[in-house]
Amino acid sequence: MADRKYIVGNWKMNGLAESLDVLAQIASGAALHPAVDVAIAPPATLIARASGGAGVIGIGAQDCHAAASGAHTGCLSAAMIAEAGAQFSIIGHSERRADQHETSADVAAKAAALHAVGMGAILCIGETLAERDSGNAVAIVCDQLEQSLPASADSGWLTIAYEPVWAIGTGRIPEMADIAEMHGALRGVLTRILGEGGQHIRILYGGSVNPGNAADILPIPDVGGALVGGASLKAETFLPIVEAAAAL
Ligand code: PGA
């Protein structure tokens, strides 16, 4: 299994040109921790400029269309975001599954589209609060992973992010034992479907990760890093998470 932790910031619909200063601070802070993989997914409007000053950190998009081109007003293909400077894209984030009605089949197609142009993908899955309260969260999220997984999945380009919907932006996180249970179950799905290769795909945890809880979450077995929303918008709150990963 990849030992290197992967700490990824998802800026969502936040960031104008002035945020490139934050990116520069994050890039110089991350350079002090070469054993940790660090990336930021700014809004698509900033990808080209962000990739110019990214230094050691990766730059990604937050979505892409599954088709290579065509009549899809307002959408961006994988080749377009790659040309702008993105090395990967987040796909299947719960906000897109909810707001844009993306299905797991859509997400699998987006993953394949990214792979086809040589990009990485961070594929998001996670249960709602009602699903957690039903007691079936593990089975539901494992099924979501299986339905979202592209046929060509492997650790060279694919990362999974487990993000409980009820933990995103709320300040609430699962019990550490629940994170461990979910990541262990997801590892089981990956190895059942992909064999040995499934051992090496990193599974990030996301949902209210901050400097106060990162040191508890990151050492959990099968947690390969973190997908960070709110705390990634400032270097002061993002870099301590990178430092927590470096200290392991
Ligand atoms: P949050 O967002 O860290 O603000 O909870 C995480 C995410 O949605 O990726």
Side-chain angles (χ1 to χ4, degrees):
M1 198 175 312
D3 289 333
R4 294 176 64 86
K5 298 289 184 195
Y6 191 19
I7 308 296
V8 184
N10 172 14
W11 280 7
K12 309 191 180 184
M13 198 172 72
N14 299 290
L16 295 168
E18 64 197 16
S19 307
L20 294 170
D21 288 345
V22 176
L23 199 95
Q25 290 166 30
I26 289 173
S28 56
L32 304 175
H33 303 290
V36 181
D37 295 330
V38 180
I40 293 286
T45 47
L46 289 181
I47 289 172
R49 279 173 288 176
S51 63
V56 298
I57 69 171
I59 295 295
Q62 300 172 12
D63 179 49
C64 74
H65 199 281
S69 63
H72 303 290
T73 302
C75 298
L76 299 172
S77 71
M80 290 172 182
I81 55 176
E83 187 180 66
Q87 292 128 16
F88 69 91
S89 182
I90 296 168
I91 49 172
H93 191 283
S94 62
E95 288 153 13
R96 294 198 59 85
R97 289 181 188 257
D99 297 354
Q100 272 73 35
H101 312 292
E102 290 183 4
T103 66
S104 290
D106 295 332
V107 176
K110 287 170 188 246
L114 289 162
H115 184 49
V117 298
M119 294 183 70
I122 299 179
L123 192 168
C124 303
I125 48 178
E127 82 281 4
T128 63
L129 187 56
E131 289 167 340
R132 170 59 60 178
D133 289 344
S134 76
N136 296 323
V138 171
I140 287 168
V141 177
C142 285
D143 185 58
Q144 204 182 21
L145 173 59
E146 192 157 352
Q147 303 304 321
S148 305
L149 209 58
S152 55
D154 82 65
S155 63
W157 65 277
L158 185 68
T159 300
I160 306 300
Y162 165 57
E163 300 201 299
V165 177
W166 52 273
I168 294 174
T170 60
R172 294 178 58 196
I173 59 169
E175 300 292 332
M176 298 303 144
D178 290 337
I179 296 176
E181 180 188 29
M182 185 66 79
H183 281 243
L186 294 172
R187 177 69 62 211
V189 171
L190 292 172
T191 51
R192 174 168 54 77
I193 297 175
L194 303 171
E196 166 69 16
Q199 288 289 340
H200 304 289
I201 293 179
R202 284 186 288 204
I203 308 172
L204 313 184
Y205 169 79
S208 294
V209 176
N210 62 42
N213 58 30
D216 295 328
I217 295 169
L218 291 170
I220 295 173
D222 284 311
V223 171
L227 183 54
V228 184
S232 72
L233 295 173
K234 290 184 180 160
E236 307 89 272
T237 46
F238 187 65
L239 287 173
I241 299 170
V242 175
E243 285 155 21
L248 293 175

